[in-house]
Amino acid sequence: MSADLRGRSLLSLDDLADEGIDRLLATAAARRAPASDAPLRGVSVALVFLNPSLRTRLAGEVAMADLGGHAAVLSPGSDAWKWETRPGAVMDGDAVEHLRDAVGTISGMVRGLGIRAFAGMRSWKEDAEEATLRAVVAASSCPVFNLESAQDHPLQSLADLLALREALGPDLRGKGFALAWAPHPKPLPMAVPHAALRAASRAGMRITISCPEGCDPDAAFLAKVRKDAEARGGGIEISHDRLGGLAGAEAVYCKSWGAPALYGRWEEERPLRAKHRDWTVDAARMAAAAPGARFMHCLPMRRNVEATDDVVDGPRSLVAAQARNRLLVQKAVFLETLRP
Amino acid sequence: MSADLRGRSLLSLDDLADEGIDRLLATAAARRAPASDAPLRGVSVALVFLNPSLRTRLAGEVAMADLGGHAAVLSPGSDAWKWETRPGAVMDGDAVEHLRDAVGTISGMVRGLGIRAFAGMRSWKEDAEEATLRAVVAASSCPVFNLESAQDHPLQSLADLLALREALGPDLRGKGFALAWAPHPKPLPMAVPHAALRAASRAGMRITISCPEGCDPDAAFLAKVRKDAEARGGGIEISHDRLGGLAGAEAVYCKSWGAPALYGRWEEERPLRAKHRDWTVDAARMAAAAPGARFMHCLPMRRNVEATDDVVDGPRSLVAAQARNRLLVQKAVFLETLRP
Amino acid sequence: MSADLRGRSLLSLDDLADEGIDRLLATAAARRAPASDAPLRGVSVALVFLNPSLRTRLAGEVAMADLGGHAAVLSPGSDAWKWETRPGAVMDGDAVEHLRDAVGTISGMVRGLGIRAFAGMRSWKEDAEEATLRAVVAASSCPVFNLESAQDHPLQSLADLLALREALGPDLRGKGFALAWAPHPKPLPMAVPHAALRAASRAGMRITISCPEGCDPDAAFLAKVRKDAEARGGGIEISHDRLGGLAGAEAVYCKSWGAPALYGRWEEERPLRAKHRDWTVDAARMAAAAPGARFMHCLPMRRNVEATDDVVDGPRSLVAAQARNRLLVQKAVFLETLRP
């Protein structure tokens, strides 16, 4: 895990050494303005969205344009063929192309391939194994960028880290970070909660997960991020206290997720989520955190369900910075991995 | 309303001084060829289509490419998230993102934001207030370009003015302009009729609106464009005579619209439109205009319903010029507002 | 049919002299790397997809970006208006724009127009006449590129020829080429089989069409390609023998198509296709060809229906080269037709 990222894929923060993270964030911060040097002139990437996107798609397109290159956006199933993903499938059904052939084709035409492939939300094991992302990597002849997968979102991790450093200072070690579970009309996947925990643990923050009983993250994943946090002067604990769980947090990261314990059994899970509609992050809940605590959310957000307008639009909100940083981080990733 | 448009939005012809219009049309005419100077190198814009588009989308993409910049096209609801537009909404329904967050995000990544947001066609008041366009402007941190809204279409106004000047000479004051209502299988919004009336009135033309009884444009809007026309040596009147209403017109602008008096009550409005199927702009109707009168239409057009093939494809048709001018005007707007 | 292609359309291999084909393939081979010279700077094309696409769309976008220009992608019916194609139609139905106006508009804004318009699959005569492609050409004021039409796919022909030359040597005359019919859940059009036969016949190969009884290609088309093949030292014959038909073939081009004799009567045709499910190109069928014979397919492919994984992914497969060549050929076509 060297800091030189040339020719490498970016699938997870886990793939990056601390020096690699530092380097990407330094490059991101230095690339606020469009490049006058067009360092990626003649470089094309493909961004493949198996699920819809606003921020990621726009950040990717604008990042490449700013750097002098080009990003081609593909949406299989709407403007391109729907993909079969099962290896060895006898394709006599609806899917007209196998992921293996599509990815082989794409990666033969471009220098980098971004892929968004959400969780199937049927089986924890299936999603935790990141089957689609792994299949894309296996079939690709060029570097692959994870544009949000079943349980990870490294570009969001990096944008969040940059926002945290901007707001709380470059050294985040030992600072309080609360991952605040919030209500939502639908059970959401673990991509962003895991990405946020990866980010905060790699920064050595003192993490609390404030969530209802039954919504605890997966134990194996927790063990991993605990190790990362503790190795850097931080730690991690779980609180089932809606308010108390935020005590001491300098950053409150609002996010909803479906209860991992009932993963895939979403009809059973529904009453659990319904019961905790009062976990909305509002002024009262923010008041339980450290004075002046920052509010974070990756967007898109169900306003006045996950968090109230006054909090989202208030002076302590980092939401706009997080979104803006998605562009900067995207530029950094393209530049560091694809530069000649 | 100075003629310097740098850093400004373009929401309506109403926002432009006469000098601003002149300047944009001069720049448009001067930009027929791609720029060898790439004056917008490093500049990205986002074009957001809440409704489908051909001319506007292509003109926007090609204009930015010609100028050395980049236009990213987004279609929320198909390739991006569907937007909630009501302020303060409790978002526990289908919409996964609020316009406010989406526009905040987009405008943080680009230098200009184009938005197409058609009329809701439910309530005149709602549409006349341009609620969606206003909400986008309020949420945007960069200039906003109206790519057709509920009741306006300034890029069409400018392209039409350029076509009129090319065909009838640079000084249009006092020349006859007929807005000719035409049949259509569906009730259409007022965006283009209003845009055409704005264009002709700002040019000081002598305008006749030739439409069936019951289809008169809104009185408040008429008062506004009458004032604009009269201040520049023109005027405006309404005729319910299918043929006589075109007398003296040197330009016949064919367009259908739903009867404003029955706005939103489209089942009631249907017989009115059905009754006037003979208002198609054909050779006979064109013969009622001035000798050699030009035919105009913004496209897309229901051929042989709104106008007949022989008229549309005839030597007096400006349809191709209007379409081609959309690209020139788009280049002028991007260049004048976004140049460094 | 000179070899200078500047300002010309590319609708079929039939439009190209042998020298034109040679020139395009030479340019393609020379353009493996992105151009440092940006020879198409300031040039925009539009790529219009009336049907979905992956390879063609990506190849087109990346080719223009590599050459310093821009390709705008339009998908009428999804992100733009649906087109009426019948001349003289009274447009009081669903289609909101006539192909004539759309193509007139597009071709007025760009320097080249690519069009994908699949077969209607209703009537052989209608599809053989290439009505949509011809209508686009008639309405366009700029060169038109066929991105796959009812019965042709010249960019695939060129990519396949390049792959054949790379694999079997520059002089393909007299070498064995088998077009191997394969099963498929749906009846497919003749675009690719015809394109492959055009390619092999223009190369003077000794062609065998290995297909079930009832699936013979159209006699008039066969007469044309036979003449082309024989004039160049090759020939063409039909075999209804699943294995024997591949004897002597150095290249086996796997492709499914609906039985031409039952064209448009697809319910009647179904049992014929169902009966020949054992025509899958597998190791046994490949063993009937010449030793070391190459396997070809244009993609997308129904794996383990048209051909088995071991064949597609084996060392004799040219599938990846064919796909990669799509980009090279696209660059060559844009460069040779659009260069100043």
mmCIF file of all heavy atoms in Angstrom, chain B residues 5 11 123 125-126 159 161 168 221 294 300 333:
data_model
loop_
_atom_site.group_PDB
_atom_site.id
_atom_site.type_symbol
_atom_site.label_atom_id
_atom_site.label_comp_id
_atom_site.label_asym_id
_atom_site.label_seq_id
_atom_site.Cartn_x
_atom_site.Cartn_y
_atom_site.Cartn_z
ATOM 1 N N LEU B 5 -23.161 41.115 -19.308
ATOM 2 C CA LEU B 5 -23.915 39.988 -18.764
ATOM 3 C C LEU B 5 -23.049 39.046 -17.936
ATOM 4 O O LEU B 5 -23.533 38.020 -17.468
ATOM 5 C CB LEU B 5 -24.566 39.216 -19.922
ATOM 6 C CG LEU B 5 -25.499 40.065 -20.798
ATOM 7 C CD1 LEU B 5 -25.925 39.299 -22.034
ATOM 8 C CD2 LEU B 5 -26.723 40.499 -20.001
ATOM 9 N N LEU B 11 -33.068 34.379 -17.350
ATOM 10 C CA LEU B 11 -34.328 33.705 -17.046
ATOM 11 C C LEU B 11 -35.429 34.075 -18.020
ATOM 12 O O LEU B 11 -36.369 33.320 -18.234
ATOM 13 C CB LEU B 11 -34.764 34.048 -15.616
ATOM 14 C CG LEU B 11 -33.692 33.795 -14.548
ATOM 15 C CD1 LEU B 11 -34.221 34.182 -13.183
ATOM 16 C CD2 LEU B 11 -33.247 32.347 -14.565
ATOM 17 N N SER B 123 -52.674 24.711 -12.665
ATOM 18 C CA SER B 123 -53.196 25.999 -12.211
ATOM 19 C C SER B 123 -52.451 27.129 -12.903
ATOM 20 O O SER B 123 -51.212 27.143 -12.961
ATOM 21 C CB SER B 123 -53.023 26.099 -10.679
ATOM 22 O OG SER B 123 -52.423 27.315 -10.304
ATOM 23 N N LYS B 125 -52.179 30.219 -11.994
ATOM 24 C CA LYS B 125 -51.420 31.000 -11.030
ATOM 25 C C LYS B 125 -50.067 30.335 -10.732
ATOM 26 O O LYS B 125 -49.022 30.984 -10.777
ATOM 27 C CB LYS B 125 -52.238 31.138 -9.733
ATOM 28 C CG LYS B 125 -51.626 32.046 -8.674
ATOM 29 C CD LYS B 125 -52.647 32.323 -7.566
ATOM 30 C CE LYS B 125 -51.985 33.100 -6.414
ATOM 31 N NZ LYS B 125 -50.909 32.319 -5.748
ATOM 32 N N GLU B 126 -50.123 29.037 -10.447
ATOM 33 C CA GLU B 126 -48.915 28.282 -10.152
ATOM 34 C C GLU B 126 -47.906 28.408 -11.293
ATOM 35 O O GLU B 126 -46.720 28.674 -11.075
ATOM 36 C CB GLU B 126 -49.313 26.809 -9.987
ATOM 37 C CG GLU B 126 -48.489 25.992 -9.029
ATOM 38 C CD GLU B 126 -49.127 24.609 -8.847
ATOM 39 O OE1 GLU B 126 -50.019 24.479 -7.975
ATOM 40 O OE2 GLU B 126 -48.775 23.681 -9.603
ATOM 41 N N ALA B 159 -33.387 33.252 -30.481
ATOM 42 C CA ALA B 159 -33.187 32.596 -31.782
ATOM 43 C C ALA B 159 -34.202 33.127 -32.794
ATOM 44 O O ALA B 159 -33.877 33.342 -33.974
ATOM 45 C CB ALA B 159 -33.323 31.085 -31.631
ATOM 46 N N LEU B 161 -35.682 36.118 -32.744
ATOM 47 C CA LEU B 161 -35.301 37.491 -33.103
ATOM 48 C C LEU B 161 -34.183 37.500 -34.138
ATOM 49 O O LEU B 161 -34.204 38.292 -35.094
ATOM 50 C CB LEU B 161 -34.848 38.257 -31.854
ATOM 51 C CG LEU B 161 -35.955 38.876 -31.007
ATOM 52 C CD1 LEU B 161 -35.364 39.525 -29.768
ATOM 53 C CD2 LEU B 161 -36.749 39.912 -31.820
ATOM 54 N N LEU B 168 -35.997 39.782 -42.308
ATOM 55 C CA LEU B 168 -36.739 41.021 -42.580
ATOM 56 C C LEU B 168 -35.896 42.276 -42.425
ATOM 57 O O LEU B 168 -36.390 43.394 -42.608
ATOM 58 C CB LEU B 168 -37.961 41.109 -41.654
ATOM 59 C CG LEU B 168 -38.936 39.919 -41.659
ATOM 60 C CD1 LEU B 168 -40.084 40.172 -40.686
ATOM 61 C CD2 LEU B 168 -39.486 39.680 -43.063
ATOM 62 N N PHE B 221 -50.568 39.587 -18.912
ATOM 63 C CA PHE B 221 -49.396 39.411 -19.764
ATOM 64 C C PHE B 221 -49.494 40.291 -21.008
ATOM 65 O O PHE B 221 -48.514 40.922 -21.428
ATOM 66 C CB PHE B 221 -49.229 37.943 -20.165
ATOM 67 C CG PHE B 221 -48.038 37.710 -21.052
ATOM 68 C CD1 PHE B 221 -46.747 37.705 -20.530
ATOM 69 C CD2 PHE B 221 -48.191 37.544 -22.428
ATOM 70 C CE1 PHE B 221 -45.648 37.520 -21.358
ATOM 71 C CE2 PHE B 221 -47.090 37.358 -23.261
ATOM 72 C CZ PHE B 221 -45.822 37.348 -22.716
ATOM 73 N N ARG B 294 -43.075 35.299 -44.181
ATOM 74 C CA ARG B 294 -42.286 34.167 -43.706
ATOM 75 C C ARG B 294 -43.097 33.338 -42.718
ATOM 76 O O ARG B 294 -43.890 33.878 -41.950
ATOM 77 C CB ARG B 294 -41.017 34.656 -43.012
ATOM 78 C CG ARG B 294 -40.219 35.644 -43.823
ATOM 79 C CD ARG B 294 -39.953 35.141 -45.247
ATOM 80 N NE ARG B 294 -39.254 36.144 -46.029
ATOM 81 C CZ ARG B 294 -37.956 36.087 -46.275
ATOM 82 N NH1 ARG B 294 -37.245 35.085 -45.824
ATOM 83 N NH2 ARG B 294 -37.376 37.034 -46.988
ATOM 84 N N PRO B 300 -40.659 21.169 -31.543
ATOM 85 C CA PRO B 300 -41.210 20.152 -32.441
ATOM 86 C C PRO B 300 -42.615 20.500 -32.909
ATOM 87 O O PRO B 300 -43.341 21.206 -32.197
ATOM 88 C CB PRO B 300 -41.237 18.883 -31.574
ATOM 89 C CG PRO B 300 -41.372 19.387 -30.182
ATOM 90 C CD PRO B 300 -40.588 20.672 -30.161
ATOM 91 N N VAL B 333 -24.997 33.168 -25.218
ATOM 92 C CA VAL B 333 -25.385 33.268 -23.805
ATOM 93 C C VAL B 333 -24.280 32.710 -22.907
ATOM 94 O O VAL B 333 -23.891 33.339 -21.917
ATOM 95 C CB VAL B 333 -26.729 32.546 -23.554
ATOM 96 C CG1 VAL B 333 -26.986 32.375 -22.054
ATOM 97 C CG2 VAL B 333 -27.867 33.318 -24.219
#
